[in-house]
Amino acid sequence: MTATQEPPAHATGVPGDGFPSGDLTLLRFHVDHALAADTSTLSEAELIDQIQEIESLQASLAALQSTRIRAFARTQVENGPTDLDPDKLHRSVVAQIQLACRVSTTEARTRVANAHDLRAGLDDVRRLHETGQLSAAKVTAVAVECRDLDTTQRARVDARLATNRDLTRYGIGRLRAMTRRLVAEIAPDRFRARVHAARAERRVTLRPAPDAMSYLTAYVPVEQGAACLAALQEAFVEVQVDPQPLTRNRGQVLADTLVERVTGQATATAVNLEVQVTVPVQALLDPQSPLPAEIPGLGPVPADLLTTPEGTKSLRRLLTDHGIVIGGDSRQRTFTGLLATLVKARAQNRCTEPYCDAPVRHIDHIRRDADGGRTELENGRGVCEFHNHVREQPGWHIARAPDGTVVTRTPTGHTYRGPD
């Protein structure tokens, strides 16, 4: 920051040493000028010093944001309708924090919960967070492990953590494991109940990965996960002792064996399924077009990889023009079914609410059916279950702007444009 530039005249809360204590505009002023500063004159040691200071400042700013989230949540409770369901009010708070912070619904829910828990027993952890010694990720690791404890139990965990002089030097995994052990010791009944509840949440999910790959994740009890991995490793040992030349590495054998055993196929590539693919209409008109096909929700993929001599894969093509779905194959589909497919494909099977990346669970009318909205492609949007419900809360309004984007207006009057 150069000495010729002065803080804005309206900046307040500046003590004698010039460090901003309460004016966020002044803080933004310092950051802007730090970004514009010439770093060529700084030594390597000075750059590392600044990197450390910035990391500490990020943690402190996250703590500051947490206090504002807590204050906002309390204001919503105090000013909200007295007869409003607390769950619905909480959902509205989470949705507004999600939009304001430009994060996913899950992350927003975590931040709201942390804002409460840091003032309900985790005093020492909060102070380390405020002074920049614990990052937001580490604080979240502690808070999540203590989430179902009461204030007294949480305070006991907090006190035990504070006695560890190496606490701020631990990684996230080690910090989480330490907190979990303390929870199991201090609140064994709650810990046992949480383990049983977690087993009821077992599931399998699929997420996109780079380069036309995907992450297939199984959330299962630890002993079951260990048994699955042991069985796959045993399969690799069998391949190693086979007299045939070894043409695959260990990871490939484990992955192929998993697919074969789950699907019952003779080989991993013999896939029997129907694959929904969006195809640019330009690619149909020009065989040399570089525009890729895309599996909604999983990303672009070379079409030739989707057709192999093995299996009975078939492709359901959905035609797009500059990213907008304009039509598609209608075999084995009723009109309603195809319309839902087109809406989901246009959203790439991701919730179209700003900053939300959850899978599409509901097809929502942009203009409500009760208000005369028609059930047609232009009036449909794919959303997750959370955002389909939250728009029904008082003060929320959804509309399509003249430029085609969907605009969300929250109870505080803030507006956010969606990606659709």
Side-chain angles (χ1 to χ4, degrees):
M1 176 175 163
T2 60
T4 58
Q5 294 163 319
E6 297 297 332
H10 64 276
T12 60
V14 185
D17 58 5
F19 188 82
S21 63
D23 194 283
L24 297 180
T25 303
L26 180 60
L27 181 58
R28 168 57 65 184
F29 172 83
H30 280 284
V31 170
D32 288 343
H33 287 281
L35 287 170
D38 181 12
T39 60
S40 62
T41 61
L42 299 176
S43 67
E44 294 178 351
E46 289 172 329
L47 288 171
I48 288 295
D49 287 341
Q50 290 199 7
I51 290 170
Q52 290 178 331
E53 286 296 327
I54 292 170
E55 184 66 23
S56 178
L57 181 60
Q58 282 182 325
S60 296
L61 285 175
L64 174 62
Q65 185 186 66
S66 182
T67 66
R68 300 304 188 263
I69 291 175
R70 180 172 180 268
F72 173 74
R74 294 179 64 180
T75 301
Q76 289 278 289
V77 172
E78 293 169 358
N79 297 340
T82 56
D83 59 344
L84 184 61
D85 184 340
D87 288 340
K88 292 183 178 180
L89 179 60
H90 179 264
R91 187 181 298 143
S92 181
V93 169
V94 169
Q96 292 181 76
I97 295 301
Q98 179 251 325
L99 291 168
C101 295
R102 308 172 193 172
V103 296
S104 68
T105 304
T106 299
E107 173 65 16
R109 190 178 285 113
T110 297
R111 293 190 186 189
V112 171
N114 287 354
H116 171 269
D117 292 348
L118 287 174
R119 294 277 178 174
L122 295 177
D123 295 340
D124 288 310
V125 169
R126 188 189 74 247
R127 280 190 283 270
L128 290 172
H129 189 29
E130 291 172 345
T131 56
Q133 298 179 70
L134 283 180
S135 68
K138 292 182 178 181
V139 168
T140 296
V142 173
V144 167
E145 293 300 329
C146 299
R147 190 71 82 214
D148 55 347
L149 304 185
D150 60 37
T151 301
T152 301
Q153 293 169 328
R154 199 178 289 121
R156 290 179 62 189
V157 173
D158 181 71
R160 291 281 294 276
L161 288 173
T163 62
N164 193 316
R165 293 180 298 177
D166 296 325
L167 185 68
T168 59
R169 292 194 287 270
Y170 285 164
I172 294 176
R174 190 171 179 179
L175 189 58
R176 182 183 294 113
M178 177 191 299
T179 307
R180 187 179 299 131
R181 284 194 297 271
L182 289 173
V183 170
E185 176 185 338
I186 292 171
D189 291 340
R190 288 181 180 265
F191 178 73
R192 190 177 298 107
R194 190 171 67 184
V195 170
H196 284 296
R199 288 172 177 254
E201 295 295 325
R202 57 190 182 278
R203 59 190 177 274
V204 177
T205 57
L206 185 69
R207 295 185 294 115
D211 305 321
M213 301 293 284
S214 62
Y215 296 107
L216 177 65
T217 304
Y219 182 69
V220 296
V222 62
E223 71 277 5
Q224 295 179 15
C228 289
L229 183 59
L232 295 175
Q233 291 172 335
E234 184 179 344
F236 178 63
V237 173
E238 294 173 358
V239 171
Q240 281 184 308
V241 300
D242 192 288
Q244 297 295 326
L246 186 62
T247 59
R248 296 174 295 168
N249 61 33
R250 178 178 177 276
Q252 292 169 338
V253 171
L254 266 61
D256 292 346
T257 303
L258 173 65
V259 173
E260 291 161 6
R261 293 188 179 180
V262 170
T263 63
Q265 300 162 187
T267 63
T269 55
V271 180
N272 295 281
L273 81 167
E274 180 183 87
V275 179
Q276 182 188 101
V277 183
T278 58
V279 181
V281 67
Q282 292 85 353
L284 296 181
L285 300 176
D286 178 12
Q288 304 302 319
S289 172
L291 298 177
E294 185 165 342
I295 299 179
L298 294 176
V301 59
D304 61 309
L305 294 183
L306 299 175
T307 33
T308 68
E310 301 178 273
T312 57
K313 278 185 288 191
S314 63
L315 306 180
R316 182 182 303 282
R317 296 179 303 176
L318 302 173
L319 303 184
T320 65
D321 185 12
H322 296 91
I324 304 299
V325 176
I326 59 175
D329 299 336
S330 61
R331 66 184 186 279
Q332 299 178 351
R333 288 286 190 273
T334 64
F335 173 78
T336 301
L338 177 59
L339 183 59
T341 298
L342 295 177
V343 173
K344 289 181 179 180
R346 181 176 62 185
Q348 299 182 359
N349 205 34
R350 294 292 178 184
C351 178
T352 55
E353 192 69 18
Y355 319 118
C356 185
D357 226 9
V360 169
R361 299 299 185 201
H362 294 205
I363 305 299
D364 186 28
H365 286 75
I366 296 174
R367 185 183 180 193
R368 289 186 177 90
D369 179 69
D371 297 332
R374 301 181 61 182
T375 305
E376 57 187 10
L377 184 62
E378 180 66 16
N379 194 45
R381 66 166 189 158
V383 291
C384 65
E385 183 177 3
F386 176 86
H387 281 111
N388 186 41
H389 290 319
V390 80
R391 74 162 297 186
E392 302 302 326
Q393 304 305 318
W396 290 82
H397 180 71
I398 310 296
R400 189 178 291 281
D403 63 0
T405 59
V406 178
V407 177
T408 298
R409 189 174 74 233
T410 70
T412 59
H414 290 80
T415 58
Y416 302 88
R417 288 183 175 271
D420 181 16

